[in-house]
Amino acid sequence: MASIKGIVIPAAWDQNGKIISLAIATDDEQEYLIETRQIFTKLKSMLREEIVVIGTIRQTEKNKIIEVKSCSRRQ
């Protein structure tokens, strides 16, 4: 498990401009795509807020992806 701190940002939109994917942008300019769909609504309500996310990180050729286990607003 890893803990990252950052701001929730949109990562992709559908053809109507609706947000369909989110990411966490960290202070050190890393970006982690959110994989966990079950937490999407909660994270979307925290858009542009600083949060702490705990989860499992994996790396693909192009992206860092985090499977979120828990999240909270950064204190």
Side-chain angles (χ1 to χ4, degrees):
M1 291 288 180
S3 176
I4 59 170
K5 299 174 186 175
I7 297 173
V8 180
I9 60 171
W13 298 261
D14 68 10
Q15 58 194 9
N16 298 317
K18 182 180 173 185
I19 298 170
I20 58 171
S21 180
L22 296 170
I24 306 295
T26 63
D27 294 341
D28 62 354
E29 298 183 8
Q30 298 293 315
E31 193 171 293
Y32 296 84
L33 295 176
I34 304 295
E35 181 173 74
T36 315
R37 301 299 301 170
Q38 296 90 336
I39 203 159
F40 181 83
T41 303
K42 181 177 181 180
L43 286 173
K44 192 173 175 187
S45 73
M46 297 179 180
L47 202 59
R48 296 179 192 85
E49 291 185 34
E50 290 189 41
I51 66 168
V52 177
V53 174
I54 297 172
T56 306
I57 297 172
R58 64 184 172 85
Q59 178 84 40
T60 66
E61 284 186 31
K62 297 181 181 181
N63 300 306
K64 292 181 181 179
I65 300 168
I66 186 163
E67 182 179 348
V68 178
K69 301 296 182 193
S70 67
C71 67
S72 60
R73 286 182 169 82
R74 193 169 174 183
Q75 305 265 334

